[in-house]
Structure formats: C-alpha cells, structure tokens
mmCIF file of all heavy atoms in Angstrom:
data_model
loop_
_atom_site.group_PDB
_atom_site.id
_atom_site.type_symbol
_atom_site.label_atom_id
_atom_site.label_comp_id
_atom_site.label_asym_id
_atom_site.label_seq_id
_atom_site.Cartn_x
_atom_site.Cartn_y
_atom_site.Cartn_z
ATOM 1 N N GLN A 1 0.796 -1.219 0.000
ATOM 2 C CA GLN A 1 0.000 0.000 0.000
ATOM 3 C C GLN A 1 0.834 1.277 0.000
ATOM 4 O O GLN A 1 0.266 2.372 -0.038
ATOM 5 C CB GLN A 1 -0.949 -0.016 1.206
ATOM 6 C CG GLN A 1 -2.013 -1.097 1.101
ATOM 7 C CD GLN A 1 -2.867 -1.202 2.342
ATOM 8 O OE1 GLN A 1 -2.575 -0.564 3.369
ATOM 9 N NE2 GLN A 1 -3.922 -2.014 2.286
ATOM 10 N N GLU A 2 2.160 1.164 0.046
ATOM 11 C CA GLU A 2 2.991 2.352 -0.079
ATOM 12 C C GLU A 2 2.852 2.927 -1.492
ATOM 13 O O GLU A 2 2.715 2.192 -2.467
ATOM 14 C CB GLU A 2 4.452 2.012 0.213
ATOM 15 C CG GLU A 2 4.722 1.676 1.675
ATOM 16 C CD GLU A 2 6.197 1.413 1.926
ATOM 17 O OE1 GLU A 2 7.009 1.647 1.003
ATOM 18 O OE2 GLU A 2 6.542 0.957 3.036
ATOM 19 N N LEU A 3 2.922 4.258 -1.586
ATOM 20 C CA LEU A 3 2.651 4.919 -2.859
ATOM 21 C C LEU A 3 3.625 4.478 -3.947
ATOM 22 O O LEU A 3 3.234 4.238 -5.095
ATOM 23 C CB LEU A 3 2.726 6.442 -2.671
ATOM 24 C CG LEU A 3 2.291 7.285 -3.876
ATOM 25 C CD1 LEU A 3 0.833 7.028 -4.211
ATOM 26 C CD2 LEU A 3 2.524 8.762 -3.603
ATOM 27 N N GLY A 4 4.903 4.348 -3.630
ATOM 28 C CA GLY A 4 5.890 3.965 -4.636
ATOM 29 C C GLY A 4 5.772 2.537 -5.097
ATOM 30 O O GLY A 4 6.265 2.178 -6.170
ATOM 31 N N ASN A 5 5.117 1.685 -4.309
ATOM 32 C CA ASN A 5 4.966 0.279 -4.670
ATOM 33 C C ASN A 5 3.668 0.003 -5.419
ATOM 34 O O ASN A 5 3.399 -1.146 -5.774
ATOM 35 C CB ASN A 5 5.008 -0.597 -3.415
ATOM 36 C CG ASN A 5 6.412 -0.699 -2.839
ATOM 37 O OD1 ASN A 5 7.399 -0.630 -3.575
ATOM 38 N ND2 ASN A 5 6.511 -0.843 -1.521
ATOM 39 N N ARG A 6 2.884 1.023 -5.646
ATOM 40 C CA ARG A 6 1.632 0.834 -6.375
ATOM 41 C C ARG A 6 1.904 0.598 -7.853
ATOM 42 O O ARG A 6 2.850 1.146 -8.420
ATOM 43 C CB ARG A 6 0.744 2.070 -6.206
ATOM 44 C CG ARG A 6 0.241 2.279 -4.782
ATOM 45 C CD ARG A 6 -0.862 1.304 -4.457
ATOM 46 N NE ARG A 6 -1.579 1.668 -3.243
ATOM 47 C CZ ARG A 6 -2.673 1.064 -2.809
ATOM 48 N NH1 ARG A 6 -3.197 0.069 -3.513
ATOM 49 N NH2 ARG A 6 -3.262 1.435 -1.702
ATOM 50 N N ASN A 7 1.046 -0.207 -8.460
ATOM 51 C CA ASN A 7 1.112 -0.443 -9.907
ATOM 52 C C ASN A 7 0.056 0.437 -10.574
ATOM 53 O O ASN A 7 -1.106 0.079 -10.671
ATOM 54 C CB ASN A 7 0.868 -1.917 -10.235
ATOM 55 C CG ASN A 7 1.895 -2.838 -9.595
ATOM 56 O OD1 ASN A 7 1.561 -3.678 -8.751
ATOM 57 N ND2 ASN A 7 3.149 -2.696 -9.982
ATOM 58 N N TRP A 8 0.496 1.596 -11.059
ATOM 59 C CA TRP A 8 -0.440 2.586 -11.570
ATOM 60 C C TRP A 8 -1.137 2.121 -12.837
ATOM 61 O O TRP A 8 -2.274 2.525 -13.105
ATOM 62 C CB TRP A 8 0.296 3.904 -11.824
ATOM 63 C CG TRP A 8 0.789 4.539 -10.573
ATOM 64 C CD1 TRP A 8 1.986 4.344 -9.965
ATOM 65 C CD2 TRP A 8 0.077 5.461 -9.738
ATOM 66 N NE1 TRP A 8 2.080 5.081 -8.814
ATOM 67 C CE2 TRP A 8 0.917 5.786 -8.649
ATOM 68 C CE3 TRP A 8 -1.185 6.058 -9.813
ATOM 69 C CZ2 TRP A 8 0.535 6.671 -7.643
ATOM 70 C CZ3 TRP A 8 -1.567 6.944 -8.809
ATOM 71 C CH2 TRP A 8 -0.714 7.239 -7.751
ATOM 72 N N LEU A 9 -0.474 1.304 -13.628
ATOM 73 C CA LEU A 9 -1.096 0.761 -14.847
ATOM 74 C C LEU A 9 -1.207 -0.756 -14.780
ATOM 75 O O LEU A 9 -1.322 -1.422 -15.809
ATOM 76 C CB LEU A 9 -0.292 1.178 -16.084
ATOM 77 C CG LEU A 9 -0.248 2.679 -16.382
ATOM 78 C CD1 LEU A 9 0.606 2.948 -17.616
ATOM 79 C CD2 LEU A 9 -1.653 3.241 -16.582
ATOM 80 N N GLY A 10 -1.162 -1.305 -13.575
ATOM 81 C CA GLY A 10 -1.278 -2.743 -13.406
ATOM 82 C C GLY A 10 0.027 -3.471 -13.692
ATOM 83 O O GLY A 10 1.095 -2.865 -13.850
ATOM 84 N N THR A 11 -0.068 -4.791 -13.767
ATOM 85 C CA THR A 11 1.087 -5.628 -14.078
ATOM 86 C C THR A 11 0.782 -6.479 -15.297
ATOM 87 O O THR A 11 -0.382 -6.670 -15.673
ATOM 88 C CB THR A 11 1.453 -6.543 -12.898
ATOM 89 O OG1 THR A 11 0.403 -7.503 -12.707
ATOM 90 C CG2 THR A 11 1.645 -5.739 -11.617
ATOM 91 N N ASP A 12 1.851 -7.008 -15.909
ATOM 92 C CA ASP A 12 1.645 -7.911 -17.037
ATOM 93 C C ASP A 12 1.476 -9.331 -16.526
ATOM 94 O O ASP A 12 1.339 -9.571 -15.317
ATOM 95 C CB ASP A 12 2.805 -7.794 -18.034
ATOM 96 C CG ASP A 12 4.137 -8.191 -17.412
ATOM 97 O OD1 ASP A 12 4.162 -8.644 -16.242
ATOM 98 O OD2 ASP A 12 5.162 -8.047 -18.090
ATOM 99 N N ASP A 13 1.489 -10.307 -17.419
ATOM 100 C CA ASP A 13 1.211 -11.682 -17.012
ATOM 101 C C ASP A 13 2.348 -12.314 -16.223
ATOM 102 O O ASP A 13 2.220 -13.453 -15.760
ATOM 103 C CB ASP A 13 0.879 -12.543 -18.235
ATOM 104 C CG ASP A 13 1.968 -12.477 -19.297
ATOM 105 O OD1 ASP A 13 3.031 -11.866 -19.029
ATOM 106 O OD2 ASP A 13 1.755 -13.016 -20.399
ATOM 107 N N GLN A 14 3.476 -11.612 -16.074
ATOM 108 C CA GLN A 14 4.575 -12.110 -15.259
ATOM 109 C C GLN A 14 4.770 -11.303 -13.982
ATOM 110 O O GLN A 14 5.746 -11.506 -13.262
ATOM 111 C CB GLN A 14 5.873 -12.094 -16.080
ATOM 112 C CG GLN A 14 5.817 -12.984 -17.307
ATOM 113 C CD GLN A 14 7.132 -13.000 -18.056
ATOM 114 O OE1 GLN A 14 8.204 -12.930 -17.470
ATOM 115 N NE2 GLN A 14 7.065 -13.102 -19.377
ATOM 116 N N GLY A 15 3.869 -10.380 -13.708
ATOM 117 C CA GLY A 15 3.943 -9.601 -12.486
ATOM 118 C C GLY A 15 4.838 -8.384 -12.574
ATOM 119 O O GLY A 15 5.167 -7.793 -11.536
ATOM 120 N N ARG A 16 5.239 -7.983 -13.772
ATOM 121 C CA ARG A 16 6.096 -6.809 -13.940
ATOM 122 C C ARG A 16 5.245 -5.554 -14.110
ATOM 123 O O ARG A 16 4.183 -5.601 -14.735
ATOM 124 C CB ARG A 16 7.017 -6.997 -15.147
ATOM 125 C CG ARG A 16 7.949 -8.198 -15.012
ATOM 126 C CD ARG A 16 8.665 -8.504 -16.303
ATOM 127 N NE ARG A 16 7.753 -8.851 -17.387
ATOM 128 C CZ ARG A 16 8.127 -9.360 -18.551
ATOM 129 N NH1 ARG A 16 9.404 -9.594 -18.785
ATOM 130 N NH2 ARG A 16 7.231 -9.632 -19.487
ATOM 131 N N ASP A 17 5.742 -4.446 -13.577
ATOM 132 C CA ASP A 17 4.994 -3.201 -13.605
ATOM 133 C C ASP A 17 4.870 -2.677 -15.040
ATOM 134 O O ASP A 17 5.876 -2.508 -15.745
ATOM 135 C CB ASP A 17 5.696 -2.162 -12.729
ATOM 136 C CG ASP A 17 4.883 -0.896 -12.591
ATOM 137 O OD1 ASP A 17 3.838 -0.929 -11.935
ATOM 138 O OD2 ASP A 17 5.301 0.126 -13.163
ATOM 139 N N VAL A 18 3.642 -2.401 -15.470
ATOM 140 C CA VAL A 18 3.394 -1.977 -16.845
ATOM 141 C C VAL A 18 3.925 -0.572 -17.083
ATOM 142 O O VAL A 18 4.518 -0.294 -18.147
ATOM 143 C CB VAL A 18 1.882 -2.059 -17.160
ATOM 144 C CG1 VAL A 18 1.585 -1.439 -18.525
ATOM 145 C CG2 VAL A 18 1.411 -3.503 -17.128
ATOM 146 N N LEU A 19 3.758 0.336 -16.128
ATOM 147 C CA LEU A 19 4.218 1.713 -16.320
ATOM 148 C C LEU A 19 5.734 1.766 -16.487
ATOM 149 O O LEU A 19 6.245 2.501 -17.343
ATOM 150 C CB LEU A 19 3.784 2.578 -15.134
ATOM 151 C CG LEU A 19 4.178 4.060 -15.195
ATOM 152 C CD1 LEU A 19 3.676 4.706 -16.475
ATOM 153 C CD2 LEU A 19 3.657 4.805 -13.973
ATOM 154 N N ALA A 20 6.459 0.978 -15.687
ATOM 155 C CA ALA A 20 7.924 0.949 -15.830
ATOM 156 C C ALA A 20 8.322 0.416 -17.194
ATOM 157 O O ALA A 20 9.242 0.939 -17.839
ATOM 158 C CB ALA A 20 8.536 0.093 -14.721
ATOM 159 N N ARG A 21 7.645 -0.597 -17.681
ATOM 160 C CA ARG A 21 7.977 -1.160 -18.989
ATOM 161 C C ARG A 21 7.610 -0.198 -20.119
ATOM 162 O O ARG A 21 8.278 -0.173 -21.155
ATOM 163 C CB ARG A 21 7.274 -2.508 -19.177
ATOM 164 C CG ARG A 21 7.791 -3.580 -18.233
ATOM 165 C CD ARG A 21 7.163 -4.936 -18.526
ATOM 166 N NE ARG A 21 7.547 -5.451 -19.835
ATOM 167 C CZ ARG A 21 8.688 -6.069 -20.103
ATOM 168 N NH1 ARG A 21 9.603 -6.224 -19.161
ATOM 169 N NH2 ARG A 21 8.937 -6.523 -21.319
ATOM 170 N N VAL A 22 6.561 0.596 -19.927
ATOM 171 C CA VAL A 22 6.206 1.591 -20.942
ATOM 172 C C VAL A 22 7.288 2.666 -21.024
ATOM 173 O O VAL A 22 7.683 3.094 -22.120
ATOM 174 C CB VAL A 22 4.833 2.212 -20.619
ATOM 175 C CG1 VAL A 22 4.600 3.476 -21.441
ATOM 176 C CG2 VAL A 22 3.729 1.208 -20.901
ATOM 177 N N ILE A 23 7.795 3.122 -19.881
ATOM 178 C CA ILE A 23 8.823 4.167 -19.874
ATOM 179 C C ILE A 23 10.092 3.675 -20.567
ATOM 180 O O ILE A 23 10.660 4.351 -21.429
ATOM 181 C CB ILE A 23 9.120 4.616 -18.434
ATOM 182 C CG1 ILE A 23 7.889 5.282 -17.824
ATOM 183 C CG2 ILE A 23 10.309 5.573 -18.397
ATOM 184 C CD1 ILE A 23 8.031 5.613 -16.354
ATOM 185 N N TYR A 24 10.551 2.477 -20.193
ATOM 186 C CA TYR A 24 11.759 1.934 -20.817
ATOM 187 C C TYR A 24 11.510 1.570 -22.280
ATOM 188 O O TYR A 24 12.389 1.732 -23.132
ATOM 189 C CB TYR A 24 12.231 0.699 -20.048
ATOM 190 C CG TYR A 24 12.941 1.016 -18.758
ATOM 191 C CD1 TYR A 24 12.236 1.154 -17.574
ATOM 192 C CD2 TYR A 24 14.321 1.180 -18.715
ATOM 193 C CE1 TYR A 24 12.882 1.441 -16.368
ATOM 194 C CE2 TYR A 24 14.983 1.459 -17.523
ATOM 195 C CZ TYR A 24 14.252 1.594 -16.356
ATOM 196 O OH TYR A 24 14.896 1.884 -15.177
ATOM 197 N N GLY A 25 10.316 1.051 -22.584
ATOM 198 C CA GLY A 25 9.998 0.709 -23.967
ATOM 199 C C GLY A 25 9.908 1.936 -24.861
ATOM 200 O O GLY A 25 10.302 1.891 -26.034
ATOM 201 N N PHE A 26 9.397 3.042 -24.327
ATOM 202 C CA PHE A 26 9.353 4.296 -25.078
ATOM 203 C C PHE A 26 10.769 4.737 -25.436
ATOM 204 O O PHE A 26 11.025 5.148 -26.570
ATOM 205 C CB PHE A 26 8.650 5.359 -24.225
ATOM 206 C CG PHE A 26 8.515 6.695 -24.901
ATOM 207 C CD1 PHE A 26 7.375 7.005 -25.618
ATOM 208 C CD2 PHE A 26 9.516 7.651 -24.809
ATOM 209 C CE1 PHE A 26 7.233 8.242 -26.231
ATOM 210 C CE2 PHE A 26 9.393 8.885 -25.425
ATOM 211 C CZ PHE A 26 8.245 9.175 -26.140
ATOM 212 N N ARG A 27 11.690 4.636 -24.493
ATOM 213 C CA ARG A 27 13.066 5.056 -24.762
ATOM 214 C C ARG A 27 13.713 4.191 -25.836
ATOM 215 O O ARG A 27 14.354 4.709 -26.767
ATOM 216 C CB ARG A 27 13.893 4.993 -23.477
ATOM 217 C CG ARG A 27 15.339 5.415 -23.672
ATOM 218 C CD ARG A 27 16.094 5.456 -22.366
ATOM 219 N NE ARG A 27 16.261 4.134 -21.774
ATOM 220 C CZ ARG A 27 16.926 3.918 -20.628
ATOM 221 N NH1 ARG A 27 17.433 4.938 -19.963
ATOM 222 N NH2 ARG A 27 17.042 2.699 -20.158
ATOM 223 N N ILE A 28 13.550 2.887 -25.742
ATOM 224 C CA ILE A 28 14.152 2.000 -26.734
ATOM 225 C C ILE A 28 13.557 2.251 -28.115
ATOM 226 O O ILE A 28 14.277 2.300 -29.120
ATOM 227 C CB ILE A 28 13.966 0.533 -26.310
ATOM 228 C CG1 ILE A 28 14.881 0.200 -25.134
ATOM 229 C CG2 ILE A 28 14.253 -0.412 -27.475
ATOM 230 C CD1 ILE A 28 14.815 -1.245 -24.690
ATOM 231 N N SER A 29 12.247 2.438 -28.180
ATOM 232 C CA SER A 29 11.595 2.651 -29.477
ATOM 233 C C SER A 29 12.091 3.925 -30.148
ATOM 234 O O SER A 29 12.409 3.938 -31.344
ATOM 235 C CB SER A 29 10.078 2.703 -29.295
ATOM 236 O OG SER A 29 9.579 1.485 -28.783
ATOM 237 N N VAL A 30 12.185 5.014 -29.377
ATOM 238 C CA VAL A 30 12.605 6.290 -29.967
ATOM 239 C C VAL A 30 14.082 6.246 -30.347
ATOM 240 O O VAL A 30 14.473 6.718 -31.427
ATOM 241 C CB VAL A 30 12.320 7.446 -28.989
ATOM 242 C CG1 VAL A 30 12.867 8.758 -29.539
ATOM 243 C CG2 VAL A 30 10.826 7.568 -28.739
#
C-alpha cells in the first residue's frame, strides 16, 4: 500500500509493472 509500490497501470502476465515497462519501452523505441 505504499505509494511507490503501487502499480499505476497494473502488471503484465509475469507480475512486472506496466508503467515501468512503458517508460523503458518508449526510450528503446525512440
């Protein structure tokens, strides 16, 4: 329930944070 541990966009099917993967994926794509 700590704010930093929240999954703001949920998790994927392996339990990884979607928002973190979007940020890193955006960088790799650009």
Side-chain angles (χ1 to χ4, degrees):
Q1 293 175 352
E2 291 183 8
L3 187 62
N5 287 330
R6 293 285 194 173
N7 300 116
W8 294 89
L9 296 179
T11 67
D12 62 5
D13 55 7
Q14 298 183 35
R16 299 170 298 191
D17 187 70
V18 172
L19 181 55
R21 293 185 65 81
V22 166
I23 295 173
Y24 283 89
F26 181 93
R27 180 175 67 178
I28 287 183
S29 298
V30 175

